[in-house]
Amino acid sequence: MSQRYTLLLLLLPMLMNTADARKKGFIYEESEVPAYTLPDPLIANDGSAVTSASQWKAFRRSEILDHFEESVYGRRPGKPDALKFTVTSQDNNALGGLAKRKQVSILFEGGDRPFAVHLLIYVPNKTSGPVPVFLGYNFNGNHSIHTDPGIDLSKSWMRKNDNGNKNHRATEAARGKSASRWPVETIIKRGYAVATAYYGDVEPDHADGWKDGIRSFYKTDAQGHSLKREDWSAITAWAWALSRIVDYLETDSDIDADSIALLGHSRLGKTSVWAGATDQRFAITISNNSGCGGAALSRRSFGETVKRINTSFPHWFNSSFKAFNANEGALPVDQHELLALIAPRPVYVASAVEDEWADPNGEFLSAKAAGAVYELWGKQGVGVDSQPPVDTPVGDTIGYHVRSGGHNVTDYDWEQYLNFADRHLGR
Ligand code: GTR
């Protein structure tokens, strides 16, 4: 075997990793996208045209919200009366003096066992008064976002046994393993606080996870009506708990609770968009590579499809969503209307060019179509007709970019989110 050939064989896996691999049996070419018609967010259920922001607010917004609750994500159980917040640790001199680190437990009451979600917060020291905050779930525990040894090691169930997790629990070796996705110092230096929690505290991410999660903790909703696990879904549970984190942030004098930018990647991007749509206290909502069931249009069936996601992750969406497997055209809504529910608040949709599974162009087209609703307030959406070139952010109240590279959260993405937040939060 020639040396050159051996070298090529050695390099091949590396070369292949540069693109997220295509899965067989799915659409990856624009020419194969089926013909479809998007539901019009500005045509009400009774067929009448919605022409003003006041009509939108008076009834159209809730019509669309109801469709998403009934057909996609399930319903949210309301705000529980009994919530307790405990600051479990505080260090005013964290990250070499750059920030204050606080860890806060959000304690849920009224169920059959103790139940808590643990929040990690860094607040910049070099500012006075309440500061705006980037809030987002992490995939692997708070300790994974930074090597800071003061962060409590999560005791919750972990999905994967890699990156320092063993027997589905974190070990010391897991510290900082997701740090590349959380440029904490950069965010702090830009004047923003960072708040994060592990989504697995709310519900472990597997089909039976609800048994150990908030969906088995509560037997009734806030109004006392019976609440079964099929009434919501894992994504709704995660999104609803983000609202509980906001309940806490509203009580924290370090934080400007009118300036919360919510972000999430991938399945947590789906979660963020649903949270941003349902809770108007999020000032900015950011979808990072959220794909199917997030920002991407379901009707395009490009990359991941409704059938595939319902099969791989049956717990993410509610049972009615299964009726739309290979039947997306029958959905009463599509995902541009989810983004539209965020209007008139700023929303940012980010794609990655190699992340074809998440349908980058479908994410763009969705962001663009949501613009019709923003126009009711005279706000401009993405401001362009077709997907912009790679690494070229566009948009005003609806931001969009497609980054070079694959499914991930990178410094490039953060740079755009920080700029977007500066612009919209008046920094
Ligand atoms: C994939 C799933 C995507 C996305 C991703 C993730 O397996 O097909 O929809 O959510 O997981 O969350 O990492």
Side-chain angles (χ1 to χ4, degrees):
M1 208 187 295
S2 81
Q3 260 185 339
R4 208 180 282 171
Y5 187 64
T6 320
L7 187 72
L8 186 72
L9 275 183
L10 285 171
L11 284 176
L12 207 61
M14 252 175 70
L15 292 174
M16 284 178 61
N17 270 341
T18 57
D20 297 348
R22 288 184 166 186
K23 295 178 177 61
K24 282 221 170 70
F26 295 92
I27 295 175
Y28 288 103
E29 300 297 337
E30 279 300 324
S31 59
E32 289 173 23
V33 170
Y36 63 89
T37 310
L38 289 182
D40 186 338
L42 296 179
I43 305 279
N45 287 352
D46 69 2
S48 64
V50 173
T51 54
S52 68
S54 56
Q55 287 174 316
W56 174 265
K57 285 190 277 190
F59 65 91
R60 182 55 182 154
R61 185 174 186 282
S62 58
E63 286 184 352
I64 295 179
L65 200 53
D66 288 350
H67 286 314
F68 277 106
E69 287 202 344
E70 279 159 27
S71 305
V72 185
Y73 302 106
R75 73 182 172 92
R76 291 159 49 97
K79 180 180 173 177
D81 320 316
L83 269 191
K84 273 201 187 129
F85 311 122
T86 314
V87 179
T88 56
S89 83
Q90 177 163 339
D91 179 353
N92 292 343
N93 224 357
L95 309 179
L98 208 59
K100 179 197 286 184
R101 180 203 333 102
K102 286 197 283 199
Q103 298 183 90
V104 179
S105 292
I106 298 176
L107 305 163
F108 295 80
E109 295 187 334
D112 50 6
R113 58 191 192 270
F115 200 98
V117 171
H118 305 287
L119 191 61
L120 166 69
I121 308 172
Y122 287 106
V123 182
N125 276 335
K126 241 189 161 175
T127 43
S128 57
V131 291
V133 59
F134 277 94
L135 165 66
Y137 277 133
N138 57 69
F139 277 88
N140 296 302
N142 295 345
H143 60 270
S144 69
I145 76 143
H146 200 284
T147 51
D148 177 354
I151 304 173
D152 295 336
L153 196 69
S154 173
K155 296 189 180 72
S156 298
W157 181 89
M158 298 287 150
R159 194 164 62 95
K160 290 190 179 166
N161 281 323
D162 59 6
N163 286 317
N165 298 331
K166 276 194 186 135
N167 302 321
H168 296 286
R169 300 288 154 178
T171 73
E172 284 294 326
R175 290 190 178 279
K177 288 290 190 228
S178 308
S180 70
R181 288 182 172 179
W182 296 88
V184 176
E185 281 83 351
T186 307
I187 304 166
I188 294 290
K189 284 180 189 158
R190 295 275 297 251
Y192 293 86
V194 178
T196 187
Y198 173 47
Y199 80 130
D201 284 359
V202 179
E203 174 166 329
D205 189 1
H206 60 90
D208 283 333
W210 66 276
K211 293 179 183 165
D212 295 317
I214 199 79
R215 282 197 288 155
S216 68
F217 180 79
Y218 284 121
K219 307 282 184 270
T220 56
D221 65 14
Q223 286 75 41
H225 302 132
S226 123
L227 181 67
K228 296 189 290 298
R229 65 131 173 162
E230 316 82 75
D231 293 334
W232 32 350
S233 64
I235 287 183
T236 292
W238 296 323
W240 172 89
L242 284 168
S243 292
R244 308 293 66 87
I245 294 176
V246 176
D247 295 341
Y248 164 74
L249 291 173
E250 287 181 328
T251 69
D252 186 327
S253 57
D254 287 329
I255 301 294
D256 172 5
D258 292 328
S259 301
I260 301 175
L262 172 65
L263 98 161
H265 169 60
S266 204
R267 66 197 66 189
L268 299 179
K270 307 179 207 299
T271 301
S272 292
V273 179
W274 180 225
T278 45
D279 189 333
Q280 310 213 33
R281 293 175 298 173
F282 295 106
I284 292 180
T285 305
I286 301 165
S287 152
N288 192 92
N289 308 177
S290 65
C292 180
L297 295 173
S298 299
R299 278 170 174 74
R300 280 168 53 84
S301 308
F302 189 108
E304 188 170 32
T305 59
V306 169
K307 181 177 176 190
R308 166 66 189 232
I309 208 164
N310 277 331
T311 310
S312 331
F313 305 103
H315 54 297
W316 283 1
F317 300 90
N318 73 352
S319 44
S320 329
F321 196 46
K322 313 307 184 261
F324 303 101
N325 288 351
N327 188 25
E328 290 85 351
L331 274 162
V333 282
D334 210 320
Q335 299 304 105
H336 62 306
E337 293 175 294
L338 182 67
L339 299 176
L341 287 176
I342 298 169
R345 291 163 294 140
V347 60
Y348 200 109
V349 175
S351 309
V353 72
E354 288 166 15
D355 183 21
E356 294 179 299
W357 188 238
D359 187 12
N361 194 33
E363 293 182 318
F364 168 76
L365 292 171
S366 176
K368 181 183 150 192
V373 175
Y374 281 76
E375 278 166 22
L376 296 176
W377 284 265
K379 304 226 178 219
Q380 206 204 9
V382 292
V384 292
D385 284 333
S386 53
Q387 202 186 16
V390 166
D391 298 333
T392 311
V394 295
D396 184 6
T397 312
I398 305 177
Y400 179 83
H401 72 247
V402 53
R403 163 178 60 67
S404 46
H407 192 65
N408 202 354
V409 192
T410 69
D411 288 351
Y412 179 88
D413 296 316
W414 272 104
E415 177 66 23
Q416 312 322 313
Y417 305 151
L418 286 160
N419 293 344
F420 190 73
D422 281 357
R423 191 145 53 81
H424 288 289
L425 301 176
R427 306 278 305 167

